[in-house]
Amino acid sequence: MAATVLVGTLVSFILSRIPMRPVESLVNAIDNLAKGDFSTRIYLRGPDVFNTLTNSFNHMAHELESTEMLRSDFVNNLSHEFKTPIVSIQGFAKILKNDDLTQAQRTEYLDIIITESERLTDLSTNILNLSSLEHQRILKDVTPFNLTEQIRLIIVLLENRWEPKQLTLDFDSDEITIEGNEEMLKQVWINVLTNAIKFAPKGSEIKIEITHVDAMVSVLISNSGEPIPFNVWNRVFEKFYQSDRSRTTEGNGLGLPLAKRIVDLHQGTIRIKQSNEDITIFEVKLPINIKSSI
């Protein structure tokens, strides 16, 4: 009985020596985070363990705050991308009810409605594809195929985009075979080339080059458009990011993020290698042979 009392007294003495105010601050901060206040920070003083706890908590809160900002930007951008064509379709549909329109005007407005409808379709498709790929961890349907021939076909496929701008596409490469998901990689070249075409000045040249070094191939796609500021080189691969903040150019800011996710699944890399007044170069590096991810 005496021993029990002695132990209880000793435990009570030890607990009484532990300051409770830092613990209460931590509990309050956790409650604030749970309520959605991600600006919450703590500054605990005391033993080294308190400093470690402060740093860990504040780092966690910072990451949650950053994630919330990205989520908010994503929702805002998504809402804008959907709202713009919908408003346009609605406006021109109302105008078409006017009996005084000429046939040429009706045709023009119908073409605009069709274009905006296609824009909505492309946006929905890209969102679904990107969402699916973000949850995919294993690359499926990997087969050997001729990369050179694939890019050659993509150039022909996009002729209706580069021909009206009187662009010259320079592509000369050895026949190179790699392993990969042929259909997915097709989307990479469509997206990156479309981006190059969109920002290339009228009458200029787009150059496509394939080099083979060791176990990797490097695909370089370059144009002479307006340079991309260095501080946004990585941001162009973020969802909905557009260098044209006025959004007057076509596109929805999902093409390059989609390309990056596909390249990541292929154990490769995609980046802006160079961008200045003379030239902008995108580089896609892919392994010749895909290593098993299982």
Side-chain angles (χ1 to χ4, degrees):
M1 182 68 179
T4 302
V5 172
L6 180 61
V7 170
T9 302
L10 182 61
V11 170
S12 297
F13 174 77
I14 293 173
L15 291 176
S16 68
R17 305 295 295 177
I18 299 176
M20 295 304 295
R21 183 170 296 176
V23 177
E24 292 174 355
S25 297
L26 177 61
V27 171
N28 290 334
I30 292 173
D31 285 341
N32 288 337
L33 278 185
K35 294 174 183 177
D37 182 5
F38 301 119
S39 64
T40 301
R41 301 292 186 270
I42 61 172
Y43 303 95
L44 304 181
R45 297 180 179 180
D48 289 343
V49 66
F50 281 4
N51 292 331
T52 301
L53 183 59
T54 294
N55 293 334
S56 297
F57 180 91
N58 290 342
H59 177 71
M60 176 186 66
H62 174 73
E63 291 299 318
L64 287 172
E65 187 175 27
S66 299
T67 300
E68 176 61 19
M69 290 176 62
L70 286 174
R71 186 198 67 81
S72 178
D73 286 346
F74 178 86
V75 171
N76 290 337
N77 288 328
L78 181 61
S79 299
H80 185 281
E81 292 297 337
F82 269 106
K83 182 178 179 180
T84 302
I86 289 174
V87 169
S88 181
I89 292 170
Q90 185 181 50
F92 284 105
K94 288 180 178 179
I95 294 175
L96 284 171
K97 295 176 69 176
N98 189 338
D99 295 332
D100 298 332
L101 294 177
T102 65
Q103 186 58 43
Q105 288 175 319
R106 290 185 183 278
T107 300
E108 179 186 357
Y109 298 155
L110 285 170
D111 286 341
I112 292 174
I113 290 175
I114 292 171
T115 299
E116 294 295 85
S117 299
E118 290 172 346
R119 181 178 169 188
L120 279 175
T121 301
D122 290 342
L123 177 59
S124 302
T125 301
N126 282 337
I127 290 173
L128 291 173
N129 287 342
L130 188 56
S131 176
S132 174
L133 289 173
E134 283 180 335
H135 292 88
Q136 186 174 334
R137 294 293 176 266
I138 298 175
L139 188 62
K140 301 176 181 178
D141 300 324
V142 175
T143 58
F145 68 93
N146 187 323
L147 175 63
T148 309
E149 180 62 18
Q150 183 181 57
I151 294 179
R152 211 178 274 126
L153 292 172
I154 297 301
I155 292 173
V156 176
L157 179 68
L158 296 178
E159 184 176 3
N160 64 333
R161 291 178 179 266
W162 55 263
E163 197 276 335
K165 295 185 72 173
Q166 301 172 12
L167 301 177
T168 300
L169 270 71
D170 179 8
F171 178 52
D172 186 18
S173 169
D174 295 333
E175 303 300 314
I176 296 176
T177 297
I178 68 170
E179 287 183 354
N181 183 307
E182 188 173 359
E183 194 61 31
M184 288 171 65
L185 285 175
K186 176 182 176 182
Q187 192 63 51
V188 171
W189 315 127
I190 289 176
N191 290 352
V192 178
L193 264 175
T194 298
N195 193 69
I197 293 168
K198 179 169 67 174
F199 292 104
K202 185 176 181 179
S204 62
E205 179 183 78
I206 292 177
K207 187 173 183 179
I208 307 165
E209 220 180 326
I210 304 179
T211 60
H212 180 193
V213 180
D214 297 329
M216 303 289 290
V217 294
S218 175
V219 181
L220 302 174
I221 299 176
S222 60
N223 69 1
S224 56
E226 185 178 339
I228 302 171
F230 180 76
N231 63 317
V232 300
W233 281 18
N234 291 326
R235 293 206 64 197
V236 298
F237 300 105
E238 295 177 6
K239 287 179 288 189
F240 290 108
Y241 178 79
Q242 295 184 49
S243 56
D244 176 14
R245 304 312 295 169
S246 66
R247 301 175 187 270
T248 55
T249 57
E250 61 175 308
N252 50 51
L254 287 176
L256 291 179
L258 190 59
K260 183 180 186 305
R261 182 56 190 152
I262 294 171
V263 171
D264 287 344
L265 284 171
H266 281 79
Q267 302 163 18
T269 59
I270 180 172
R271 63 170 182 148
I272 298 175
K273 184 177 182 179
Q274 179 181 340
S275 188
N276 52 40
E277 291 76 13
D278 299 320
I279 192 171
T280 293
I281 305 175
F282 276 75
E283 179 184 48
V284 179
K285 278 189 173 181
L286 296 168
I288 295 290
N289 301 110
I290 299 291
K291 295 179 181 178
S292 174
S293 56
I294 299 178

